[in-house]
Amino acid sequence: MTAVWRLLHSQPLLTLLSTLAVTLGLITCGSTTAPLPPNAEPFAPPAVYSRWWKMTEACSGRWGSFAALRWYHVPGHFVEVDGQYASGYYSLGGNRIVLVDDMMDEGHSVRHEMLHALLRVGGHPRAQFLGSCASLVDCQGSCVTDAGPWPAPSEFTVVPPDSIDLTSHAALQPRETDGQRYLALEIAVRNPLGRAILVSIPPPPGALPGSVDAENPPGFNYKLAGPLGGIGSNMYIEDSSTVFFHPFETKQFLYEFRVDSDLTANHIPPGPYRVLGSYGWRWTAGETIIVTR
Ligand SMILES: [Zn+2]
């Protein structure tokens, strides 16, 4: 659901040389009455989807029938819907979720569509997509546009990124009932101050004016490096609410990776991994975790 660059490399540990960059389609999902794409195929949701559904119910405070949803996937990186390219969408008319193959194991993208299904409204309400469920669903591109302007609080102090606490924690999850297993990475930033703050993230030294790095401060991102190489994300901050913190507020984002045979954007083979999280241009010291099936 998000225009994320994923970097794959064949070097051990954290050299993270990019050898392949893949971008997914633009976000344009939401409630729609678009017919099913001709190449869509139904699939039975894996067990983890039930867990993700409960997480999305909890953050949204909305409850719905998981069993009533219908699931379809289409091959490739994007699907055309309502004349635009998307990596997935929810159809209110058919109570169905259509995902591109690349997205089927991407928790925050699948939960994004689940949130649509629970809210059963068009567009991307700010209160959920950028509010109560912001730690569990991605929201970029048209999601941010749909949410409308952020009503900035009247009082806050602008602080540099090193004013906030940054932590990350990776944990191998229990096997799902169908045998799948996921590694969860939770990245957290906390305002240690007893006053509201707005974190100003300057461009990195040497960034050219107008360049991607200068114009798009990075949000919650990760690097994973293991026996077959590494993967990383490049999620940008697109909404100012993401850098505003109430006194002592903590913001989090959850990434999950399925344990599988190959190294892809969302799959990692078993083995030892070095795992780091970031926010702004800062990175955590990281930790090493043994991933097993
Ligand atoms: Zn959406």
Side-chain angles (χ1 to χ4, degrees):
M1 278 321 308
T2 181
V4 174
W5 292 88
R6 297 190 176 90
L7 308 178
L8 307 180
H9 75 108
S10 57
Q11 304 298 314
L13 297 179
L14 290 179
T15 50
L16 279 170
L17 300 174
S18 66
T19 58
L20 175 65
V22 177
T23 181
L24 290 184
L26 300 172
I27 301 170
T28 179
C29 71
S31 300
T32 172
T33 54
L36 268 178
N39 57 345
E41 294 184 357
F43 72 97
V48 70
Y49 279 24
S50 176
R51 176 164 67 84
W52 290 346
W53 180 258
K54 291 181 180 123
M55 292 163 69
T56 313
E57 283 184 325
C59 73
S60 66
R62 302 289 284 267
W63 316 97
S65 169
F66 175 71
L69 267 176
R70 294 293 171 261
W71 296 88
Y72 295 83
H73 72 105
V74 296
H77 304 311
F78 60 84
V79 57
E80 189 173 350
V81 53
D82 295 338
Q84 300 185 69
Y85 293 120
S87 47
Y89 66 92
Y90 169 69
S91 169
L92 179 61
N95 194 26
R96 61 180 172 244
I97 287 176
V98 180
L99 304 170
V100 297
D101 285 353
D102 285 354
M103 201 174 116
M104 292 172 69
D105 295 326
E106 191 168 83
H108 54 83
S109 296
V110 175
R111 289 190 295 265
H112 178 115
E113 304 306 333
M114 290 176 169
L115 185 52
H116 278 297
L118 285 165
L119 297 176
R120 298 184 71 83
V121 295
H124 299 85
R126 171 173 288 278
Q128 287 86 22
F129 281 90
L130 288 164
S132 62
C133 294
S135 65
L136 296 173
V137 307
D138 61 359
C139 183
Q140 295 196 299
S142 66
C143 178
V144 173
T145 309
D146 276 357
W150 174 57
S154 56
E155 288 190 19
F156 55 81
T157 305
V158 178
V159 301
D162 59 6
S163 300
I164 55 175
D165 300 331
L166 168 66
T167 57
S168 65
H169 178 61
L172 194 60
Q173 300 301 292
R175 281 188 197 85
E176 307 293 337
T177 54
D178 59 2
Q180 287 188 357
R181 194 164 210 183
Y182 277 77
L183 174 71
L185 170 63
E186 193 161 76
I187 307 166
V189 282
R190 178 180 177 269
N191 174 12
L193 306 172
R195 62 180 187 274
I197 61 170
L198 192 74
V199 180
S200 174
I201 302 174
L208 296 174
S211 67
V212 170
D213 281 350
E215 298 295 324
N216 300 282
F220 290 103
N221 286 301
Y222 67 84
K223 292 177 185 173
L224 258 78
L228 294 186
I231 51 177
S233 64
N234 196 1
M235 187 99 76
Y236 298 125
I237 290 173
E238 297 183 18
D239 188 75
S240 297
S241 70
T242 315
V243 291
F244 174 82
F245 293 77
H246 294 286
F248 306 116
E249 180 187 354
T250 296
K251 294 184 192 295
Q252 299 171 309
F253 198 77
L254 177 66
Y255 286 105
E256 287 162 281
F257 311 92
R258 188 178 137 199
V259 183
D260 202 359
S261 304
D262 297 326
L263 180 71
T264 71
N266 299 307
H267 297 163
I268 54 173
Y273 281 82
R274 190 77 186 147
V275 184
L276 289 80
S278 82
Y279 179 85
W281 298 105
R282 293 176 56 199
W283 287 88
T284 60
E287 60 191 310
T288 298
I289 187 165
I290 306 296
V291 172
T292 57
R293 284 186 186 276

